[in-house]
Amino acid sequence: MGLISNAINSAFESFGSSMMNVGEWMMSAGYNVWKGSGSIALQYAQKDPMSVSNAWGTVTGSIYSTMLSVAAALAVLFFVLGWLNESIDIRTNFTLESMFRFFVRYVITASLIVNSLTLATGITRCATALVSTLSAEVESEDADGLFDEMKEELESSDADGGTWLAYGIVAMIGGVIGGLVIIVCAVQLILSVLSRLFKMLLCIPFAAVA
């Protein structure tokens, strides 16, 4: 009976250690996916939109020229509507101060419309430079040996096979769930960065209208 009990105990211990290794492998795999996704996300975050020549030429070409014409027409229309609203209102006097205020607003609006592409380009370059500076200071660590301390404690306390099996089940479940969560977050990170880049390129032609 003692030989069979020792064999079962040893089998449970080996099985529990194997499950810990599975959980550790899953966590390491998730962490490697996260590091790769973070590297890809940083590459796209550091990418200057003007370096994507095809997309940049499309959004700053005929579409931007059309939207610029629409923005200029809207600016003139709103200026005329505001002028008429102030000048026809019999309850208030249309003073020189009001006229000056209208022209100042119109000049500011026209400047923003004309320089909208330059402003968008400058903002994206500043954001790219900031991300490049911050990413250079980020250091990544390895995720090996996550359950080594747990194994050492079990070995030092002469735990039986049932304890090893219980800890192994918990470690495997935790490792699988943790690894899957990390992988899902890594995919979401890439999708978020790519969607922001796409939205930025999509919004640039409409900057003048906005």
Side-chain angles (χ1 to χ4, degrees):
M1 292 297 292
L3 183 62
I4 297 176
S5 178
N6 290 333
I8 294 174
N9 191 54
S10 177
F12 280 172
E13 181 178 347
S14 177
F15 195 56
S17 178
S18 299
M19 286 191 291
M20 289 183 188
N21 293 333
V22 171
E24 182 177 345
W25 177 84
M26 192 64 188
M27 287 289 290
S28 299
Y31 183 73
N32 291 331
V33 173
W34 173 262
K35 286 201 304 183
S37 302
S39 177
I40 295 173
L42 282 177
Q43 289 178 3
Y44 278 100
Q46 296 173 10
K47 183 181 291 294
D48 193 344
M50 289 183 293
S51 63
V52 188
S53 57
N54 294 331
W56 185 258
T58 302
V59 299
T60 58
S62 58
I63 300 177
Y64 179 78
S65 300
T66 303
M67 291 298 105
L68 192 62
S69 302
V70 173
L74 289 176
V76 174
L77 176 62
F78 287 135
F79 176 76
V80 172
L81 289 177
W83 181 285
L84 293 177
N85 185 33
E86 286 286 338
S87 60
I88 296 176
D89 192 358
I90 60 175
R91 293 172 298 179
T92 58
N93 295 324
F94 192 56
T95 61
L96 182 62
E97 180 182 353
S98 301
M99 185 184 302
F100 181 74
R101 185 177 67 249
F102 269 101
F103 275 104
V104 168
R105 291 177 179 175
Y106 182 74
V107 169
I108 294 175
T109 305
S111 300
L112 290 175
I113 291 174
V114 173
N115 298 312
S116 58
L117 183 59
T118 304
L119 291 173
T121 304
I123 292 172
T124 54
R125 284 180 173 176
C126 290
T128 302
L130 181 61
V131 172
S132 301
T133 303
L134 294 178
S135 62
E137 301 177 357
V138 176
E139 297 181 357
S140 59
E141 299 179 358
D142 295 330
D144 298 331
L146 294 175
F147 300 116
D148 288 346
E149 185 176 354
M150 182 185 299
K151 292 179 181 179
E152 292 176 357
E153 291 181 358
L154 291 174
E155 291 174 354
S156 61
S157 61
D158 294 330
D160 56 358
T163 305
W164 275 89
L165 183 62
Y167 275 87
I169 292 174
V170 173
M172 185 180 67
I173 294 175
V176 170
I177 294 176
L180 291 176
V181 170
I182 293 173
I183 291 174
V184 171
C185 292
V187 174
Q188 289 291 332
L189 177 64
I190 294 179
L191 293 177
S192 177
V193 173
L194 291 179
S195 65
R196 288 179 182 274
L197 181 62
F198 175 75
K199 290 177 181 178
M200 182 178 63
L201 290 174
L202 191 62
C203 290
I204 284 177
F206 305 97
V209 177

